[in-house]
Amino acid sequence: MSVGSVIVIGIIAFVSFLYSMLTLPIYFLVQQPWKMRQRIKEVKAKPVSSSSTAITYKSIRPNMELHLTLQRQNVDTLEKMFKFAALNYKNKKCLGTRQILAEEDERQPDGKIMKKFRMGVYKWRTFDEVNVEASNFGKGLRELGVNPKDRIVIFAETRAEWMIAAHGLFKQNCTCCTIYATLGEDGIAFGVNETEVKFVITSHELMPKVRNILKDIPNVHTVVYFEDQLNPTDTSNFGNVRVVPYTEVVRKGANNRHDEHSPSPADIAILMYTSGSTGVPKGVMLSHANCIATLKTFSDGIKIFPEDVFLGLLPLAHVYELLAETICLCLGVPIGYSTALTLLDTSLKVKAGTMGDARALEPSAMTAVPLILDRVRKGITDKMSKESAVKKALFEYCVNYKRRWVRRGYRTPIVDKIVFKKVAALLGGKMRAMISGGAPLSPDTHEFIRNSLCLDVVQGYGLTETTAAATLMEQADWSLGRSGAPTTISSIRIVNWDEGNYMVTKKPHPQGEVIVGGDNVSMGYFKRPVENEETFFVENGVRWMRTGDIAEVHEDGTVKIIDRKKDLVKLQHGEYISLGKVESELKTCIFVENICVYGDSTKTYCVAVITPAEIGLKDLAATLGVTGEIEQLCMNREVTNLALKRIQEHAAKSNLIKFEIPTKITLVPEQWTPESGLVTAAFKIKRKEIQNKYKAEYTKMYI
Ligand SMILES: *[C@@H]1O[C@H](CO)[C@@H](O)[C@H](O)[C@H]1NC(C)=O
Ligand SMILES: *[C@@H]1O[C@H](CO)[C@@H](O)[C@H](O)[C@H]1NC(C)=O
Ligand SMILES: CC(=O)N[C@H]1CO[C@H](CO)[C@@H](O)[C@@H]1O
């Protein structure tokens, strides 16, 4: 840093110190920080039974208004839920789609031509319109030969028609089978085959994928596709399979003789294919009762209001997104859809100088996964590191300043206004609440996002098998690194896992494998009796699931996920390494895009394969005066050595123990995408596959 910027920062620090001292008494009285600190500590769940091998916790929080209303009005299926919403919110905006007006060429600074969208406003369907369209879609399918109780696959990206089609199916007591759009072709074909469906609902973008697997899904005789706003869909080469556009199905349903067939609570609403981190995808059976139970508990825990606007972005094939959006419908909150390609002004498909979806929609709530939040954080720090030394230092100063005061329970309205509101404007400027789920969020990222985007980030823990909601943080809980307490509908039990040395008798916090029980627990995997036997059990009429996750439970009843059973390896001297824990720490290193740590139990140290973040690695190489393409940098010994050094420094700063720190690393240029089969559709790494692919590299690191 130059002398000039040191002086500037020094002056700012001094002024802000004076300012803090002068305003502290006022803030103390107005903001009452002790209340915030108290709320963090408030007990949210208590043990209901305990022994030397297991402790069971239950929420002590009351059920809230919407939960009670749903109960009173006997809303016990998703079909009744939407009827309830349509009745209550009739002409209110419900689902919004950004209009794409044209695709135009745009010359980039490097001379390349790229196709970009010229986009219009959000176009909305009201609750009434959605209800009618869903009903017509369901009846249209009947016209095409679907029968009540049939299973139908929806294989498409998140968009308004996805939601409408799903409700169309519920209105016919059909089961909606969902498959991640990012599963590889084998996985998709496997899921479609296993469900024995005759109908597949897909989208313009995914038609080529469906065409490619047609020969492997011989049962399918009809494909319905959501149309593109601009381009006609290529429906050639589908052989004997009938191909029907979505709008035609709706039209067919508008004036026909078919009735609706309401499902009952025990009927399967959704058969959700999840990509286990090993082996083939598994279909999780979720009944209407499962979904409604989670809906009730979300309504207790998530503070969302009718004035909110929700940004629909994550895959609807993920139960947690589906039910987060469903709670919006229940409360009359409009949902505007977006995609990663059009979200921000700087997104790939957004024409220079025009607004991305976030600024067009100005949403106030959304869901996120740690992977996205890690990227946002890296994006902001990357951008700041390119600014002038003074700006950069000033930003860092403000980040530290805010962190310090927020940790003491204060808010920092002035710094927010001057500095952080500009960052928050990226997401439209109104974002207020974010729910993170899918994997544990690193405390650093959690705090950074919360402070620099000025919003509440609450973390939840749950699996598809527990219909998402097992634990959820409260909005007022500003702690970091924990996932909240058991929700109002589920119990959490931790049990000893001797091999990993996790015991419920541990001090100060009991530790053990998490077992989730309640109405929210799935009826099991489709056609998998063996796995069902291993994973689920029933006790006094309540279903329980063994999750394989390891947690500790704090005094206030909140849960911290600390490990995963199968991620544990034992090194030669008997030390256990939790690979997942090491990876999540090292992933916050600026040039690490993804990482897979490996420990050979016949050796004394662990090693890692890393896919670098392109910009981060180029910057790192530049400090050595090395330039080049990412492939060359990965091969460069000097760059690798420096990267290793940085990793080790970073690891030490993150308090990793000596044997947890990789002694050797290999940089690999390939991106790990779900298509490559190296990560799951939820972007969790698939250890086995990665170890197979990089066998040679791992072996070399152990020589
Ligand atoms: C709905 O379909 C299921 C089969 O998926 C069937 O068992 C059930 O009886 C049906 N429910 C009603 C209310 O018809
Ligand atoms: C699906 O089933 C067909 C025959 O029933 C078989 O030929 C095909 O290999 C199967 N595909 C997958 C991915 O399991
Ligand atoms: C909404 C509801 O019925 N929830 C049930 C969830 O499971 C627990 C058992 O852990 C029951 O006590 C609840 O009644």
Side-chain angles (χ1 to χ4, degrees):
M1 213 189 301
S2 70
V3 179
S5 49
V6 171
I7 294 173
V8 172
I9 297 301
I11 293 172
I12 291 172
F14 181 66
V15 171
S16 91
F17 171 75
L18 275 186
Y19 168 83
S20 306
M21 286 305 113
L22 290 174
T23 52
L24 186 59
I26 305 171
Y27 277 151
F28 187 74
L29 290 177
V30 175
Q31 300 188 350
Q32 308 183 325
W34 65 89
K35 283 197 177 160
M36 172 69 82
R37 295 196 293 254
Q38 234 161 34
R39 271 202 301 261
I40 294 182
K41 285 195 208 136
E42 218 168 81
V43 173
K44 299 151 191 100
K46 282 189 171 160
V48 288
S49 72
S50 99
S51 71
S52 61
T53 56
I55 308 179
T56 306
Y57 295 83
K58 262 183 97 82
S59 171
I60 55 166
R61 292 304 205 199
N63 295 339
M64 304 301 266
E65 188 52 36
L66 181 63
H67 186 146
L68 299 173
T69 308
L70 293 174
Q71 220 151 336
R72 247 191 329 262
Q73 305 207 359
N74 206 11
V75 175
D76 52 11
T77 66
L78 290 173
E79 187 249 356
K80 284 191 194 160
M81 185 288 302
F82 202 77
K83 274 199 185 130
F84 165 90
L87 199 70
N88 278 295
Y89 311 117
K90 299 183 176 67
N91 291 320
K92 205 178 163 194
K93 284 183 197 170
C94 181
L95 303 179
T97 303
R98 185 91 188 266
Q99 296 308 104
I100 298 178
L101 306 173
E103 198 171 26
E104 295 169 353
D105 290 341
E106 183 185 284
R107 188 175 290 279
Q108 305 303 302
D110 62 3
K112 277 190 202 143
I113 304 282
M114 278 181 68
K115 293 240 177 266
K116 302 269 177 161
F117 290 146
R118 186 152 58 78
M119 289 185 288
V121 292
Y122 266 88
K123 204 170 146 198
W124 293 91
R125 290 167 166 101
T126 64
F127 279 83
D128 268 339
E129 284 164 354
V130 170
N131 195 30
V132 171
E133 193 170 325
S135 173
N136 288 343
F137 182 75
K139 290 176 183 173
L141 287 178
R142 295 286 306 281
E143 193 72 21
L144 291 174
V146 169
N147 292 314
K149 307 180 192 183
D150 279 356
R151 284 187 289 270
I152 316 272
V153 162
I154 300 189
F155 168 58
E157 307 86 356
T158 296
R159 54 190 278 171
E161 289 81 2
W162 199 114
M163 196 56 134
I164 300 171
H167 280 280
L169 295 179
F170 299 149
K171 286 175 188 289
Q172 298 293 342
N173 186 17
C174 290
T175 297
C176 166
C177 310
T178 66
I179 299 187
Y180 280 131
T182 43
L183 275 183
E185 285 181 2
D186 293 347
I188 301 162
F190 179 87
V192 175
N193 253 4
E194 190 172 74
T195 57
E196 300 168 46
V197 298
K198 301 191 181 73
F199 286 76
V200 170
I201 301 170
T202 185
S203 66
H204 170 85
E205 291 80 7
L206 293 171
M207 283 287 271
K209 270 196 183 172
V210 175
R211 188 189 291 121
N212 284 346
I213 60 167
L214 275 183
K215 59 178 186 324
D216 293 324
I217 48 173
N219 284 329
V220 174
H221 65 55
T222 304
V223 171
V224 174
Y225 66 93
F226 304 140
E227 294 112 312
D228 186 57
Q229 290 194 41
L230 294 178
N231 302 307
T233 302
D234 175 11
T235 59
S236 61
N237 294 323
F238 272 77
N240 291 330
V241 173
R242 176 172 52 166
V243 181
V244 193
Y246 167 83
T247 46
E248 194 183 318
V249 180
V250 174
R251 217 168 22 245
K252 271 189 203 297
N255 288 311
N256 76 23
R257 61 203 155 76
H258 297 288
D259 297 330
E260 293 185 356
H261 287 255
S262 302
S264 54
D267 293 330
I268 308 290
I270 303 167
L271 182 54
M272 189 161 271
Y273 274 82
T274 66
S275 46
S277 33
T278 51
V280 292
K282 288 191 288 238
V284 179
M285 298 187 283
L286 300 176
S287 66
H288 284 276
N290 289 151
C291 297
I292 294 294
T294 293
L295 205 57
K296 286 176 178 166
T297 203
F298 272 5
S299 71
D300 294 333
I302 300 176
K303 294 285 166 284
I304 199 162
F305 307 98
E307 313 75 69
D308 275 318
V309 176
F310 188 88
L311 176 73
L313 183 67
L314 290 189
L316 274 166
H318 202 310
V319 67
Y320 135 72
E321 176 71 13
L322 180 63
L323 290 170
E325 291 191 18
T326 305
I327 191 79
C328 291
L329 298 179
C330 241
L331 283 162
V333 172
I335 303 168
Y337 288 98
S338 177
T339 69
L341 295 177
T342 55
L343 180 63
L344 304 175
D345 295 358
T346 49
S347 293
L348 199 63
K349 283 295 221 174
V350 178
K351 208 168 131 78
T354 68
M355 275 195 273
D357 296 340
R359 283 216 297 136
L361 182 69
E362 300 190 329
S364 56
M366 69 181 290
T367 45
V369 289
L371 178 91
I372 294 183
L373 296 180
D374 282 338
R375 285 201 179 149
V376 171
R377 176 183 172 193
K378 265 187 213 163
I380 296 173
T381 30
D382 276 358
K383 189 150 183 261
M384 286 325 294
S385 67
K386 299 261 176 322
E387 296 284 349
S388 69
V390 173
K391 262 196 178 164
K392 189 177 146 196
L394 187 59
F395 185 74
E396 269 166 22
Y397 178 79
C398 292
V399 168
N400 291 333
Y401 174 88
K402 182 163 182 181
R403 185 189 301 140
R404 210 161 51 234
W405 286 104
V406 168
R407 280 186 182 174
R408 291 177 201 164
Y410 288 90
R411 276 163 285 131
T412 56
I414 298 191
V415 183
D416 286 355
K417 200 159 183 167
I418 302 175
V419 182
F420 296 117
K421 284 287 178 221
K422 294 207 182 83
V423 185
L426 292 175
L427 284 175
K430 299 224 171 113
M431 191 58 76
R432 181 182 67 69
M434 205 180 255
I435 317 160
S436 173
L441 179 60
S442 88
D444 288 351
T445 302
H446 190 165
E447 187 170 44
F448 183 89
I449 296 285
R450 187 178 70 191
N451 289 351
S452 54
L453 292 176
C454 304
L455 45 81
D456 291 343
V457 181
V458 298
Q459 202 180 167
Y461 163 74
L463 298 88
T464 307
E465 292 87 333
T466 63
T467 327
T471 75
L472 187 65
M473 281 173 83
E474 296 180 357
Q475 211 104 356
D477 177 0
W478 275 41
S479 63
L480 296 168
R482 291 183 251 159
S483 310
T487 59
T488 47
I489 57 147
S490 41
S491 306
I492 294 280
R493 176 181 298 166
I494 51 171
V495 298
N496 283 356
W497 183 39
D498 302 339
E499 195 188 327
N501 194 24
Y502 289 113
M503 307 288 182
V504 299
T505 47
K506 268 263 171 70
K507 295 278 178 282
H509 306 299
Q511 299 178 329
E513 181 187 357
V514 180
I515 303 190
V516 180
D519 274 13
N520 37 334
V521 173
S522 156
M523 303 163 69
Y525 302 115
F526 187 57
K527 298 186 178 171
R528 299 292 156 82
V530 178
E531 275 122 324
N532 284 344
E533 192 70 24
E534 288 166 2
T535 313
F536 300 93
F537 63 96
V538 177
E539 190 183 277
N540 302 330
V542 176
R543 284 189 73 79
W544 293 83
M545 183 213 178
R546 301 185 180 90
T547 64
D549 289 320
I550 306 292
E552 64 183 31
V553 182
H554 289 234
E555 297 82 0
D556 61 353
T558 59
V559 170
K560 179 176 183 183
I561 303 298
I562 49 177
D563 205 348
R564 193 78 215 130
K565 251 175 151 175
K566 59 173 172 266
D567 280 359
L568 216 62
V569 297
K570 196 177 182 183
L571 291 185
Q572 201 184 22
H573 293 322
E575 307 97 338
Y576 278 102
I577 300 188
S578 161
L579 303 175
K581 175 184 132 194
V582 175
E583 283 155 2
S584 66
E585 289 295 350
L586 297 184
K587 234 194 289 191
T588 58
C589 192
I590 194 147
F591 59 86
V592 175
E593 172 80 19
N594 216 334
I595 175 167
C596 182
V597 177
Y598 176 70
D600 182 335
S601 44
T602 64
K603 298 286 181 347
T604 55
Y605 60 94
C606 64
V607 299
V609 167
I610 293 173
T611 61
E614 185 162 346
I615 298 174
L617 188 70
K618 283 189 173 161
D619 288 350
L620 187 76
T623 63
L624 291 168
V626 179
T627 55
E629 285 310 308
I630 195 89
E631 287 79 9
Q632 296 161 320
L633 298 184
C634 286
M635 300 286 289
N636 188 307
R637 185 165 291 254
E638 250 184 295
V639 173
T640 304
N641 286 342
L642 182 62
L644 176 62
K645 197 161 151 247
R646 289 282 185 283
I647 288 271
Q648 292 175 336
E649 288 162 7
H650 188 83
K653 251 198 279 172
S654 318
N655 296 323
L656 292 185
I657 308 168
K658 189 162 164 285
F659 59 81
E660 292 177 322
I661 302 176
T663 310
K664 291 186 187 170
I665 60 168
T666 304
L667 300 172
V668 295
E670 299 89 6
Q671 292 278 323
W672 295 349
T673 59
E675 286 80 7
S676 69
L678 298 178
V679 293
T680 70
F683 287 93
K684 290 182 188 152
I685 59 170
K686 292 189 179 177
R687 234 169 254 301
K688 253 224 172 70
E689 276 74 2
I690 294 177
Q691 279 161 20
N692 283 341
K693 182 171 164 83
Y694 298 108
K695 213 178 199 139
E697 283 81 359
Y698 281 118
T699 314
K700 228 156 84 204
M701 285 189 279
Y702 271 125
I703 293 173

